[in-house]
Amino acid sequence: MTRKGLMAAVLTATMAFGGAGAAEEALRVGMITTLSGGGAGLGIDVRDGFLLAVKQAGAPIEVIVEDDQQKPDIAVQLSDKLIQAEEVDVMTGIIFSNIAMAVIPSALAQGKFYLSPNAGPSQLAGAGCHPDYFNVAWQNDNLHEAAGAYANSAGLANSFILAPNYPAGQDALTGFKRFYTGELAGELYTTLGQTDYAAEIAQIRASGADSVFFFLPGGMGISFLKQYSDSGVDMPVIGPAFSFDQGILQAVGAAALGVRNTSQWSPDLDNPTNAAFVGSFEAEYGRLPSLYASQGFDTANLLISAMEKADVADRDAFRAALREADFDSTRGAFRFNTNQHPIQDIYVREVIQDGEIFTNRIVTTALRDHGDAYAAECPME
Amino acid sequence: MSTVLLLEQLLNGLQFGVMLFLMAAGLTLIFGVMGLINLAHGSLYMIGAFAAASVAGFTGSFLLALMAALAAAAAAGALIEVTVIRRLYARDHLDQVLATFALILILSEGTRWLFGSFPLYLDVPAWLAGPVRLPGGIDYPRYRLAVIAVGLAVAGGLAWLIAGTRLGIRIRAGEADREMIAALGVDISRLYTLVFALGAALAGLAGALVGAIQSVQVGMGEPVLILAFVVIVIGGIGSIRGAFVGALLVGLTDTAGRVFMPILMQPLVGQQQAATVGSALASVAIYVLMALVLLVRPAGLYGRA
């Protein structure tokens, strides 16, 4: 929907960095993210996680937040505005890969750094990688690859797989199949935005599969899981964390209990940074953080770590400082691959009920020190 | 493909069609009687779902939730009719589309303001949960059978209302000649508010019924609105019977497309591509159906040319 108003949350930290409160020039961050429409929950979590880190560090960062309404054309206009009128130094925030592809290449060409807190399209990981582009979340295929690897180790040998028919959906099934070694009982693409899955569930039931892998982000996943659990089909379901994040688990309810999902982050991940993050996020916003919030938080901390080492005006030094990834990530060990995408552990989580709240806990590790399949095509070293 | 699976898919198509009918009935009624294109119909569907989710959350009763959905959507409908829609009857369709589009934005952001951006929880009641075994060995969700029953009951009720009651006579008279029934002393503005509230209540009921097996979130009404428009164009704008037949046709065609297209595509494009190509074709199946119907009957199946 064309919402004219923009959510401009301008935040200037009060404390100055290192110096004695001198009027140091603040670093300007342009954040284009999705704050209205069906995908709003994701953008809100990324924004809140990012702003929390900036607030905690008291870093001289001015964040200009804009709502792309999940529309590439709006995002391109906002990007032009942020670059030309607001003269931002660094851009971040985009949730969806189609929007990322509309905005990021042009922003990079105009000499901006881009730190991705979510979208990780393969085009920007392989031959199209860029020295000023850093992905702090994952390459799109990663969590699906981990689901494939987990299916093998769980002894699943005849999986039925489905995803929406759009680029990220096709990447999801490709990623799953890259690691999965069993047979496929069926492979199905649904319509993007589809809400009724009765026909698909009937096919799953008739296929003789031993498990279901699905990638249906947002409301699609809620609909599928509720209908699946009500259909009486009783085989294990696995998927990436996107359909089991904190924002939508309460809406799915008991239908998601016990589902195994793959994620690079979990609220119970055992490291001091994460424990402090989960506690302070809950105190600040009154809800548990999702993986999107952790990604926003990590993105801001990466930026802050680079600011401590170099000035953004010295582009080479700033880039080198970003590449070091010298910050305490909520995920524990975190480093960049040659294509400046993460090398990280990916875990298998299980949906549990803790009192009234549905959440996730880690069961096992699916992939250790996992990079992505496209890094070899990237000419950077 | 086995007969059992085929029958199950037939039921799925029927259930999808019945759900679409609840949505399309109100839309076509409002267009038929008042000549108004109401894009905000999807928002009334959303209001029904949100009302049901909140009441179910407070009371735990699904029946109370359904009643709340009916009441909330009808009240919202009546309020919208009195404050906004009433000014639009005399204006052309473009003005109506603009104003009701604005209503979508207002109602969506209003709902977000009240309930937040995260989806709400609404589940099927325990007494309708789980599958039931039908003759022939089909395991079919009890809740979906109930949706079919409710939809058919509403269709029957509407047919009786239109054909057999005084209100129905007025509605039909209003469709035929607006000035004349006003001249005969019928309070036309009250009739319009009533019809609008009735259409809104049907959308709210659909939202609540569907909300239990889908995602209750802001913007949930718009995809269904598009399908509802396809239904009433196929059925003939203004015709309840057309909406019923159109809804079943769309439901069955959509389900059949999703099931058979990938299978039909296999010999043509190979195993690898069949899933994507089949799915892409399935998503246009209902629009092909609409084009074919309009080719043969430009005013729709039951429309008056």
Side-chain angles (χ1 to χ4, degrees):
Chain A
M1 301 290 100
T2 49
R3 210 172 64 140
K4 182 101 171 95
L6 45 96
M7 287 268 296
V10 178
L11 186 141
T12 316
T14 44
M15 286 181 291
F17 231 31
E24 209 175 329
E25 183 86 354
L27 185 134
R28 292 168 73 76
V29 173
M31 177 183 282
I32 298 174
T33 194
T34 303
L35 301 170
S36 60
L42 287 64
I44 288 171
D45 271 1
V46 162
R47 177 196 66 191
D48 289 352
F50 192 97
L51 294 182
L52 180 66
V54 171
K55 184 178 168 188
Q56 286 177 354
I61 297 179
E62 191 178 344
V63 189
I64 302 150
V65 183
E66 299 279 7
D67 176 15
D68 63 29
Q69 304 165 27
Q70 211 174 330
K71 289 182 184 143
D73 50 325
I74 305 274
V76 168
Q77 289 170 23
L78 291 173
S79 159
D80 289 343
K81 186 188 132 198
L82 287 174
I83 292 172
Q84 287 156 21
E86 302 284 353
E87 298 181 329
V88 298
D89 305 299
V90 174
M91 292 179 58
T92 184
I94 296 176
I95 301 295
F96 295 93
S97 292
N98 57 333
I99 297 177
M101 288 312 294
V103 169
I104 295 172
S106 124
L108 294 173
Q110 295 176 69
K112 302 297 163 194
F113 286 102
Y114 188 90
L115 312 180
S116 178
N118 198 65
S122 52
Q123 293 93 326
L124 295 175
C129 64
H130 192 285
D132 295 339
Y133 173 79
F134 293 82
N135 187 305
V136 198
W138 21 255
Q139 197 281 316
N140 279 356
D141 301 6
N142 285 164
L143 302 194
H144 312 297
E145 292 168 341
Y150 170 69
N152 297 336
S153 66
L156 304 174
N158 195 24
S159 204
F160 194 107
I161 62 177
L162 73 157
N165 196 13
Y166 79 121
Q170 290 154 16
D171 287 351
L173 298 193
T174 309
F176 181 82
K177 288 190 283 186
R178 188 175 292 137
F179 276 70
Y180 175 66
T181 53
E183 297 283 315
L184 287 181
E187 178 175 358
L188 210 61
Y189 285 104
T190 60
T191 308
L192 191 62
Q194 186 173 323
T195 49
D196 195 283
Y197 293 94
E200 286 76 10
I201 291 168
Q203 280 172 275
I204 291 171
R205 192 205 308 267
S207 70
D210 67 357
S211 57
V212 177
F213 166 77
F214 77 93
F215 166 61
L216 294 167
M220 292 185 279
I222 300 177
S223 302
F224 177 81
L225 272 175
K226 282 162 94 172
Q227 293 166 26
Y228 183 83
S229 113
D230 198 41
S231 72
V233 184
D234 191 26
M235 54 180 97
V237 172
I238 47 178
F242 310 122
S243 296
F244 308 94
D245 76 74
Q246 204 58 48
I248 66 175
L249 272 184
Q250 314 317 316
V252 181
L257 272 183
V259 172
R260 301 291 170 97
N261 62 98
T262 49
S263 177
Q264 83 287 3
W265 177 85
S266 181
D268 66 332
L269 198 55
D270 190 16
N271 67 63
T273 312
N274 193 43
F277 163 67
V278 173
S280 58
F281 189 94
E282 213 178 346
E284 182 82 18
Y285 302 109
R287 62 176 197 274
L288 279 174
S290 66
L291 81 157
Y292 308 110
S294 79
Q295 291 160 195
F297 189 80
D298 283 349
T299 304
N301 279 326
L302 168 71
L303 179 67
I304 292 163
S305 76
M307 286 169 68
E308 284 169 346
K309 292 182 175 173
D311 189 84
V312 71
D314 183 356
R315 298 182 59 82
D316 289 334
F318 196 76
R319 186 181 304 116
L322 283 170
R323 281 193 77 132
E324 284 174 34
D326 184 16
F327 70 103
D328 290 326
S329 144
T330 55
R331 291 164 241 184
F334 177 98
R335 67 179 200 273
F336 281 122
N337 205 342
T338 49
N339 62 349
Q340 298 175 173
H341 283 59
I343 295 181
Q344 59 190 345
D345 292 349
I346 300 180
Y347 306 94
V348 178
R349 313 187 299 181
E350 181 180 18
V351 179
I352 55 159
Q353 186 168 12
D354 181 11
E356 288 281 286
I357 302 285
F358 292 92
T359 186
N360 284 287
R361 75 154 179 244
I362 292 179
V363 182
T364 179
T365 307
L367 293 171
R368 283 189 193 284
D369 282 340
H370 185 55
D372 61 79
Y374 305 95
E377 297 163 31
C378 171
M380 290 192 297
E381 283 173 7
Chain B
M1 182 171 293
S2 69
T3 330
V4 173
L5 182 56
L6 204 64
L7 283 175
E8 183 175 353
Q9 298 293 22
L10 206 65
L11 270 179
N12 285 331
L14 181 68
Q15 183 263 324
F16 189 42
V18 161
M19 186 221 92
L20 283 178
F21 169 72
L22 289 178
M23 188 68 180
L27 200 61
T28 204
L29 196 65
I30 289 166
F31 189 89
V33 176
M34 302 174 252
L36 177 94
I37 295 181
N38 179 25
L39 290 187
H41 205 65
S43 302
L44 297 164
Y45 171 90
M46 175 183 75
I47 288 172
F50 273 85
S54 350
V55 170
F58 272 117
T59 65
S61 160
F62 191 68
L63 288 179
L64 279 180
L66 281 187
M67 284 180 220
L70 280 169
L79 187 72
I80 290 170
E81 202 276 340
V82 171
T83 50
V84 180
I85 305 285
R86 186 165 286 186
R87 292 158 224 286
L88 298 170
Y89 295 133
R91 311 185 70 147
D92 69 18
H93 287 323
L94 185 61
D95 290 354
Q96 297 174 352
V97 165
L98 277 177
T100 52
F101 185 69
L103 280 176
I104 295 184
L105 302 182
I106 293 166
L107 292 172
S108 286
E109 290 311 306
T111 310
R112 184 192 309 286
W113 185 66
L114 276 176
F115 292 94
S117 284
F118 296 97
L120 294 193
Y121 175 75
L122 177 66
D123 203 3
V124 301
W127 45 277
L128 283 176
V132 60
R133 176 146 295 206
L134 300 179
I138 305 173
D139 284 319
Y140 202 73
R142 200 171 274 135
Y143 185 78
R144 286 182 187 267
L145 287 177
V147 170
I148 296 177
V150 170
L152 294 179
V154 168
L158 268 181
W160 170 76
L161 178 84
I162 303 282
T165 65
R166 180 165 283 276
L167 177 64
I169 293 172
R170 288 185 176 165
I171 289 175
R172 280 181 289 146
E175 281 180 52
D177 195 328
R178 231 167 288 181
E179 284 85 20
M180 187 55 84
I181 71 158
L184 286 174
V186 174
D187 183 350
I188 193 92
S189 70
R190 224 186 63 198
L191 176 69
Y192 280 7
T193 309
L194 206 65
V195 170
F196 199 89
L198 175 66
L202 288 175
L205 176 67
L209 284 175
V210 166
I213 50 172
Q214 291 182 5
S215 159
V216 179
Q217 61 183 17
V218 173
M220 65 186 283
E222 277 75 68
V224 198
L225 179 76
I226 295 170
L227 289 177
F229 270 110
V230 172
V231 164
I232 67 171
V233 167
I234 288 177
I237 294 174
S239 161
I240 295 281
R241 184 183 303 158
F244 187 70
V245 175
L248 293 190
L249 273 177
V250 167
L252 290 169
T253 307
D254 187 66
T255 304
R258 274 150 60 196
V259 174
F260 294 115
M261 277 300 175
I263 300 173
L264 288 177
M265 282 300 117
Q266 266 182 29
L268 291 177
V269 296
Q271 183 87 31
Q272 202 66 33
Q273 293 296 317
T276 43
V277 176
S279 155
L281 287 176
S283 60
V284 298
I286 57 166
Y287 303 100
V288 173
L289 172 74
M290 178 167 80
L292 288 177
V293 168
L294 291 182
L295 215 58
V296 182
R297 295 187 68 101
L301 292 174
Y302 292 88
R304 273 163 301 193

